[in-house]
Amino acid sequence: MQTYHMDSRQGIRPSNAGAVGETMHRSDWETLEGYLPAEGRRLWNQSFYFNAYDPKNGIGCVIRAGFMEGSRSANSWMVFFMDGKPLFARYNANLSCPANRLAGGVSVGGMTLESLEPLKVARIRFQTAEFAFDLTWRAMHPLMDAIGFGQDDKDNFAAAHAHAHLEGSCFVTGTVTLRGGDRHTFEGTGGRDIAAGIRDWGSMEHYRVAWPIFTDETAAIGIHGVAGGRHSYMSMWHDGTDWTPIVETEDLVTFDTDEFTVRETHWRLRDAHGREVSYSGIPLFRCFLPADGYTLVEHIAKFTRSDGVEGYGLVECGMRLPWHRDMALGLG
């Protein structure tokens, strides 16, 4: 496989690229599942994120594997829940960085992650005496680069978070086995993303995400970031046929009394064709994931669109510490 190099000014370009601005074509996106060298950049990051929820058995999960070659470290998290209560959680913050990535398979934190079909099918396996799972994410919609496609301007918060960020909705199937051998079939939906580039968590005071996948196989990805007191957005809508960029976003989040977890969230999006979609989400499960001086709060939520169509998906918040709620307004 050809080695690719990432440049924050040019996006992704092959190592033999010529003119400035010669960016990676979609046909080359699959290289993001393979190894991309840090080339001396300490904050260089490659990450693979997955979530899923099966409303029939109430089981859901959030999973991430991050590879920071510049600091010679890796991290991983996996959190499973059932009926709003934890089933199993493992967080590893300072692992050694393996040479492999999703393409070809990689083991990190006890999990084995592998791409079965580039950008379309990925499998994750894990087994201990207490808990095991074997889940496969199959593309419902093609992955799309949210930074190149969905951001509202070219200098927003995303530049310090990644240089490429592919996101998409999936059908998720497999099995989850509990302590004592109680095995559950999993048939749900979920999201996955692939990111590569500089990852500076502390560059943002706050960000929040609402990513519902509806029962009619439409989906929305709304991201609101606050950096330096400035608000910016990165949003996309899939109408069941194709992704379309969002030109106007409004969101309202109500935090719980702890000022970290979300009680409910409301979003309104208007796409490039003038179509509007609005939806609300109420979390079913919440968990905290530490990142040194930053905290991520993951929620799996039930969403309802304004026309009554329901769905499930992710509500995610990032908070720079020390945190107070005014930072979500850009007043920190």
Side-chain angles (χ1 to χ4, degrees):
M1 179 180 293
Q2 185 181 32
T3 297
Y4 275 77
H5 299 266
M6 299 283 289
D7 188 304
S8 59
R9 298 163 299 176
Q10 301 171 33
I12 313 172
R13 60 189 182 92
S15 56
N16 61 355
V20 171
E22 184 180 345
T23 56
M24 176 184 274
H25 298 121
R26 285 194 192 187
S27 60
D28 294 319
W29 280 359
E30 66 184 64
T31 61
L32 292 168
E33 292 189 328
Y35 167 72
L36 293 167
E39 298 180 328
R41 288 166 285 194
R42 185 179 62 83
L43 295 178
W44 183 255
N45 169 79
Q46 284 185 261
S47 62
F48 305 97
Y49 172 87
F50 301 83
N51 65 59
Y53 182 67
D54 182 348
K56 294 183 296 298
N57 57 30
I59 296 176
C61 66
V62 292
I63 297 170
R64 182 182 187 269
F67 304 92
M68 288 72 66
E69 184 188 54
S71 60
R72 301 180 180 178
S73 65
N75 61 44
S76 68
W77 70 59
M78 50 175 288
V79 179
F80 277 76
F81 69 93
M82 184 175 187
D83 297 331
K85 298 177 181 179
L87 280 178
F88 189 87
R90 175 175 288 191
Y91 183 81
N92 300 278
N94 192 22
L95 301 169
S96 59
C97 189
N100 295 338
R101 299 294 184 265
L102 198 66
V106 61
S107 294
V108 59
M111 295 185 294
T112 299
L113 306 91
E114 56 185 328
S115 175
L116 301 183
E117 185 177 353
L119 304 182
K120 294 181 180 179
V121 185
R123 180 186 183 191
I124 308 178
R125 292 169 288 145
F126 175 85
Q127 184 167 358
T128 66
E130 297 175 301
F131 182 78
F133 72 90
D134 187 339
L135 295 176
T136 299
W137 280 253
R138 298 181 185 274
M140 176 189 300
H141 308 139
L143 293 171
M144 176 57 71
D145 183 5
I147 292 178
F149 187 74
Q151 63 177 317
D152 59 353
D153 63 73
K154 301 304 179 186
D155 297 308
N156 75 2
F157 68 95
H161 215 48
H163 299 158
H165 206 141
L166 306 185
E167 305 190 11
S169 307
C170 300
F171 301 105
V172 187
T173 57
T175 59
V176 176
T177 304
L178 312 185
R179 189 194 304 268
D182 184 13
R183 183 173 178 177
H184 294 261
T185 298
F186 194 102
E187 295 180 350
T189 57
R192 62 174 295 202
D193 77 42
I194 305 170
I198 299 299
R199 178 60 59 92
D200 182 4
W201 291 107
S203 66
M204 293 183 296
E205 293 96 273
H206 172 63
Y207 76 91
R208 52 187 180 261
V209 178
W211 184 350
I213 302 170
F214 294 102
T215 55
D216 61 359
E217 298 184 13
T218 60
I221 299 175
I223 306 173
H224 178 179
V226 182
R230 180 168 173 258
H231 296 258
S232 51
Y233 293 87
M234 191 168 71
S235 303
M236 307 186 296
W237 164 251
H238 199 289
D239 61 8
T241 301
D242 204 358
W243 289 107
T244 182
I246 298 301
V247 298
E248 183 177 306
T249 304
E250 292 181 1
D251 73 301
L252 174 66
V253 62
T254 301
F255 290 103
D256 220 324
T257 53
D258 61 12
E259 299 190 359
F260 282 86
T261 57
V262 171
R263 183 181 301 166
E264 57 183 316
T265 186
H266 306 274
W267 290 70
R268 183 186 67 82
L269 311 177
R270 182 168 63 85
D271 73 9
H273 305 293
R275 299 174 297 182
E276 287 195 0
V277 58
S278 59
Y279 54 90
S280 301
I282 298 177
L284 304 171
F285 177 77
R286 308 165 176 86
C287 64
F288 289 82
L289 299 165
D292 293 340
Y294 211 80
T295 289
L296 288 80
V297 187
E298 301 284 293
H299 314 68
I300 296 296
K302 181 177 182 178
F303 289 90
T304 305
R305 212 166 59 202
S306 57
D307 60 3
V309 176
E310 296 182 339
Y312 299 91
L314 176 71
V315 173
E316 180 180 83
C317 291
M319 286 90 163
R320 190 171 68 191
L321 305 177
W323 168 258
H324 56 85
R325 191 158 46 185
D326 285 349
M327 293 168 72
L329 304 175
L331 302 177

